[in-house]
mmCIF file with all atom_site columns, all heavy atoms in Angstrom:
data_model
loop_
_atom_site.group_PDB
_atom_site.id
_atom_site.type_symbol
_atom_site.label_atom_id
_atom_site.label_alt_id
_atom_site.label_comp_id
_atom_site.label_asym_id
_atom_site.label_entity_id
_atom_site.label_seq_id
_atom_site.pdbx_PDB_ins_code
_atom_site.Cartn_x
_atom_site.Cartn_y
_atom_site.Cartn_z
_atom_site.occupancy
_atom_site.B_iso_or_equiv
_atom_site.pdbx_formal_charge
_atom_site.auth_seq_id
_atom_site.auth_comp_id
_atom_site.auth_asym_id
_atom_site.auth_atom_id
_atom_site.pdbx_PDB_model_num
ATOM   1  N N   . VAL U 1 90  ? -5.603 7.116  4.452  1.00 97.00 ? 90  VAL U N   1
ATOM   2  C CA  . VAL U 1 90  ? -4.475 6.560  5.194  1.00 97.00 ? 90  VAL U CA  1
ATOM   3  C C   . VAL U 1 90  ? -3.306 7.551  5.273  1.00 97.00 ? 90  VAL U C   1
ATOM   4  O O   . VAL U 1 90  ? -2.730 7.758  6.341  1.00 97.00 ? 90  VAL U O   1
ATOM   5  C CB  . VAL U 1 90  ? -4.048 5.205  4.595  1.00 97.00 ? 90  VAL U CB  1
ATOM   6  C CG1 . VAL U 1 90  ? -2.684 4.766  5.104  1.00 97.00 ? 90  VAL U CG1 1
ATOM   7  C CG2 . VAL U 1 90  ? -5.100 4.158  4.962  1.00 97.00 ? 90  VAL U CG2 1
ATOM   8  N N   . MET U 1 91  ? -2.959 8.192  4.151  1.00 96.00 ? 91  MET U N   1
ATOM   9  C CA  . MET U 1 91  ? -1.817 9.104  4.224  1.00 96.00 ? 91  MET U CA  1
ATOM   10 C C   . MET U 1 91  ? -2.131 10.325 5.086  1.00 96.00 ? 91  MET U C   1
ATOM   11 O O   . MET U 1 91  ? -1.259 10.871 5.754  1.00 96.00 ? 91  MET U O   1
ATOM   12 C CB  . MET U 1 91  ? -1.364 9.525  2.824  1.00 96.00 ? 91  MET U CB  1
ATOM   13 C CG  . MET U 1 91  ? -0.597 8.435  2.087  1.00 96.00 ? 91  MET U CG  1
ATOM   14 S SD  . MET U 1 91  ? 0.632  7.525  3.079  1.00 96.00 ? 91  MET U SD  1
ATOM   15 C CE  . MET U 1 91  ? 1.809  8.796  3.484  1.00 96.00 ? 91  MET U CE  1
ATOM   16 N N   . TYR U 1 115 ? 7.032  3.410  -0.700 1.00 98.00 ? 115 TYR U N   1
ATOM   17 C CA  . TYR U 1 115 ? 5.916  4.167  -1.296 1.00 98.00 ? 115 TYR U CA  1
ATOM   18 C C   . TYR U 1 115 ? 6.250  5.671  -1.327 1.00 98.00 ? 115 TYR U C   1
ATOM   19 O O   . TYR U 1 115 ? 6.506  6.273  -0.272 1.00 98.00 ? 115 TYR U O   1
ATOM   20 C CB  . TYR U 1 115 ? 4.690  3.876  -0.434 1.00 98.00 ? 115 TYR U CB  1
ATOM   21 C CG  . TYR U 1 115 ? 3.418  4.573  -0.801 1.00 98.00 ? 115 TYR U CG  1
ATOM   22 C CD1 . TYR U 1 115 ? 2.875  4.464  -2.072 1.00 98.00 ? 115 TYR U CD1 1
ATOM   23 C CD2 . TYR U 1 115 ? 2.726  5.319  0.164  1.00 98.00 ? 115 TYR U CD2 1
ATOM   24 C CE1 . TYR U 1 115 ? 1.681  5.092  -2.390 1.00 98.00 ? 115 TYR U CE1 1
ATOM   25 C CE2 . TYR U 1 115 ? 1.529  5.946  -0.144 1.00 98.00 ? 115 TYR U CE2 1
ATOM   26 C CZ  . TYR U 1 115 ? 1.019  5.832  -1.431 1.00 98.00 ? 115 TYR U CZ  1
ATOM   27 O OH  . TYR U 1 115 ? -0.156 6.452  -1.737 1.00 98.00 ? 115 TYR U OH  1
ATOM   28 N N   . ASN U 1 164 ? 5.369  -1.865 0.474  1.00 98.00 ? 164 ASN U N   1
ATOM   29 C CA  . ASN U 1 164 ? 5.233  -1.376 -0.885 1.00 98.00 ? 164 ASN U CA  1
ATOM   30 C C   . ASN U 1 164 ? 6.519  -0.604 -1.197 1.00 98.00 ? 164 ASN U C   1
ATOM   31 O O   . ASN U 1 164 ? 6.829  0.335  -0.458 1.00 98.00 ? 164 ASN U O   1
ATOM   32 C CB  . ASN U 1 164 ? 4.012  -0.443 -0.944 1.00 98.00 ? 164 ASN U CB  1
ATOM   33 C CG  . ASN U 1 164 ? 3.874  0.301  -2.257 1.00 98.00 ? 164 ASN U CG  1
ATOM   34 O OD1 . ASN U 1 164 ? 4.646  0.111  -3.172 1.00 98.00 ? 164 ASN U OD1 1
ATOM   35 N ND2 . ASN U 1 164 ? 2.881  1.175  -2.320 1.00 98.00 ? 164 ASN U ND2 1
ATOM   36 N N   . ASP U 1 192 ? 1.857  1.787  8.574  1.00 98.00 ? 192 ASP U N   1
ATOM   37 C CA  . ASP U 1 192 ? 0.839  1.859  7.529  1.00 98.00 ? 192 ASP U CA  1
ATOM   38 C C   . ASP U 1 192 ? 0.536  0.423  7.094  1.00 98.00 ? 192 ASP U C   1
ATOM   39 O O   . ASP U 1 192 ? 1.373  -0.240 6.478  1.00 98.00 ? 192 ASP U O   1
ATOM   40 C CB  . ASP U 1 192 ? 1.404  2.695  6.370  1.00 98.00 ? 192 ASP U CB  1
ATOM   41 C CG  . ASP U 1 192 ? 0.480  2.765  5.156  1.00 98.00 ? 192 ASP U CG  1
ATOM   42 O OD1 . ASP U 1 192 ? -0.406 1.915  5.020  1.00 98.00 ? 192 ASP U OD1 1
ATOM   43 O OD2 . ASP U 1 192 ? 0.689  3.670  4.332  1.00 98.00 ? 192 ASP U OD2 1
ATOM   44 N N   . ILE U 1 194 ? -2.087 -0.587 5.141  1.00 98.00 ? 194 ILE U N   1
ATOM   45 C CA  . ILE U 1 194 ? -3.168 -0.547 4.148  1.00 98.00 ? 194 ILE U CA  1
ATOM   46 C C   . ILE U 1 194 ? -3.191 -1.803 3.261  1.00 98.00 ? 194 ILE U C   1
ATOM   47 O O   . ILE U 1 194 ? -4.238 -2.166 2.740  1.00 98.00 ? 194 ILE U O   1
ATOM   48 C CB  . ILE U 1 194 ? -3.077 0.744  3.294  1.00 98.00 ? 194 ILE U CB  1
ATOM   49 C CG1 . ILE U 1 194 ? -4.387 0.985  2.536  1.00 98.00 ? 194 ILE U CG1 1
ATOM   50 C CG2 . ILE U 1 194 ? -1.911 0.716  2.337  1.00 98.00 ? 194 ILE U CG2 1
ATOM   51 C CD1 . ILE U 1 194 ? -4.485 2.358  1.856  1.00 98.00 ? 194 ILE U CD1 1
ATOM   52 N N   . HIS U 1 195 ? -2.043 -2.493 3.122  1.00 98.00 ? 195 HIS U N   1
ATOM   53 C CA  . HIS U 1 195 ? -2.012 -3.698 2.272  1.00 98.00 ? 195 HIS U CA  1
ATOM   54 C C   . HIS U 1 195 ? -2.263 -4.980 3.083  1.00 98.00 ? 195 HIS U C   1
ATOM   55 O O   . HIS U 1 195 ? -2.023 -6.088 2.583  1.00 98.00 ? 195 HIS U O   1
ATOM   56 C CB  . HIS U 1 195 ? -0.656 -3.806 1.562  1.00 98.00 ? 195 HIS U CB  1
ATOM   57 C CG  . HIS U 1 195 ? -0.423 -2.728 0.537  1.00 98.00 ? 195 HIS U CG  1
ATOM   58 N ND1 . HIS U 1 195 ? -0.833 -2.830 -0.765 1.00 98.00 ? 195 HIS U ND1 1
ATOM   59 C CD2 . HIS U 1 195 ? 0.170  -1.507 0.636  1.00 98.00 ? 195 HIS U CD2 1
ATOM   60 C CE1 . HIS U 1 195 ? -0.501 -1.728 -1.432 1.00 98.00 ? 195 HIS U CE1 1
ATOM   61 N NE2 . HIS U 1 195 ? 0.102  -0.905 -0.597 1.00 98.00 ? 195 HIS U NE2 1
ATOM   62 N N   . LYS U 1 225 ? -6.888 -0.306 -0.332 1.00 98.00 ? 225 LYS U N   1
ATOM   63 C CA  . LYS U 1 225 ? -6.076 -1.057 -1.305 1.00 98.00 ? 225 LYS U CA  1
ATOM   64 C C   . LYS U 1 225 ? -6.674 -2.433 -1.563 1.00 98.00 ? 225 LYS U C   1
ATOM   65 O O   . LYS U 1 225 ? -6.777 -2.869 -2.697 1.00 98.00 ? 225 LYS U O   1
ATOM   66 C CB  . LYS U 1 225 ? -4.645 -1.263 -0.793 1.00 98.00 ? 225 LYS U CB  1
ATOM   67 C CG  . LYS U 1 225 ? -3.696 -0.114 -0.916 1.00 98.00 ? 225 LYS U CG  1
ATOM   68 C CD  . LYS U 1 225 ? -3.519 0.439  -2.297 1.00 98.00 ? 225 LYS U CD  1
ATOM   69 C CE  . LYS U 1 225 ? -4.233 1.759  -2.381 1.00 98.00 ? 225 LYS U CE  1
ATOM   70 N NZ  . LYS U 1 225 ? -4.197 2.439  -3.644 1.00 98.00 ? 225 LYS U NZ  1
HETATM 71 C C1  . PLP M 2 .   ? 1.521  2.011  1.556  1.00 65.83 ? 401 PLP M C1  1
HETATM 72 C C2  . PLP M 2 .   ? 0.393  2.876  1.092  1.00 65.83 ? 401 PLP M C2  1
HETATM 73 N N1  . PLP M 2 .   ? -0.167 3.754  1.942  1.00 65.83 ? 401 PLP M N1  1
HETATM 74 C C3  . PLP M 2 .   ? -1.191 4.559  1.569  1.00 65.83 ? 401 PLP M C3  1
HETATM 75 C C4  . PLP M 2 .   ? -1.693 4.507  0.287  1.00 65.83 ? 401 PLP M C4  1
HETATM 76 C C5  . PLP M 2 .   ? -2.781 5.462  -0.117 1.00 65.83 ? 401 PLP M C5  1
HETATM 77 O O1  . PLP M 2 .   ? -3.864 5.342  0.741  1.00 65.83 ? 401 PLP M O1  1
HETATM 78 P P1  . PLP M 2 .   ? -4.897 6.541  0.892  1.00 65.83 ? 401 PLP M P1  1
HETATM 79 O O2  . PLP M 2 .   ? -5.445 6.815  -0.461 1.00 65.83 ? 401 PLP M O2  1
HETATM 80 O O3  . PLP M 2 .   ? -5.921 6.007  1.840  1.00 65.83 ? 401 PLP M O3  1
HETATM 81 O O4  . PLP M 2 .   ? -4.135 7.690  1.457  1.00 65.83 ? 401 PLP M O4  1
HETATM 82 C C6  . PLP M 2 .   ? -1.146 3.607  -0.638 1.00 65.83 ? 401 PLP M C6  1
HETATM 83 C C7  . PLP M 2 .   ? -1.635 3.571  -2.018 1.00 65.83 ? 401 PLP M C7  1
HETATM 84 O O5  . PLP M 2 .   ? -1.128 2.898  -2.882 1.00 65.83 ? 401 PLP M O5  1
HETATM 85 C C8  . PLP M 2 .   ? -0.087 2.763  -0.219 1.00 65.83 ? 401 PLP M C8  1
HETATM 86 O O6  . PLP M 2 .   ? 0.470  1.869  -1.052 1.00 65.83 ? 401 PLP M O6  1
#
Side-chain angles (χ1 to χ4, degrees):
V90 166
M91 285 317 296
Y115 178 56
N164 171 3
D192 176 340
I194 196 170
H195 292 273
K225 281 304 106 181

